[in-house]
Amino acid sequence: MSSTIQNVLLIGAGGLLGPSILSAFDSDSHFTISILSRNSSKSTFPSHLKVHHISDDYPETELFDAFKGQDAVISTIATAHAGQQKAFID
């Protein structure tokens, strides 16, 4: 049985690496890309993309809603904040 990755959630799309990854996925029609963004973020994204705005402390219930229906999650958050990724893994 083969599975296909189609729905991809990008965390850190407004950082240093995120915009390049966002551009690559957004330009490929095989993928439906969406973004996880903190409420305090000032980053802006193309209007055709779904942006999940969540509280800065990444509450489990908000993460669960954003992750629902995703085939893959890509995190490009800075190494200095790598500890926050534990919430994504959980």
Side-chain angles (χ1 to χ4, degrees), residues 51-84:
V51 179
H52 301 272
H53 294 279
I54 69 167
S55 301
D56 288 15
D57 59 344
Y58 299 109
E60 183 178 324
T61 56
E62 292 179 34
L63 284 172
F64 182 79
D65 289 341
F67 285 26
K68 190 181 300 182
Q70 302 299 329
D71 300 315
V73 176
I74 299 172
S75 177
T76 64
I77 63 173
T79 304
H81 302 287
Q84 293 175 329

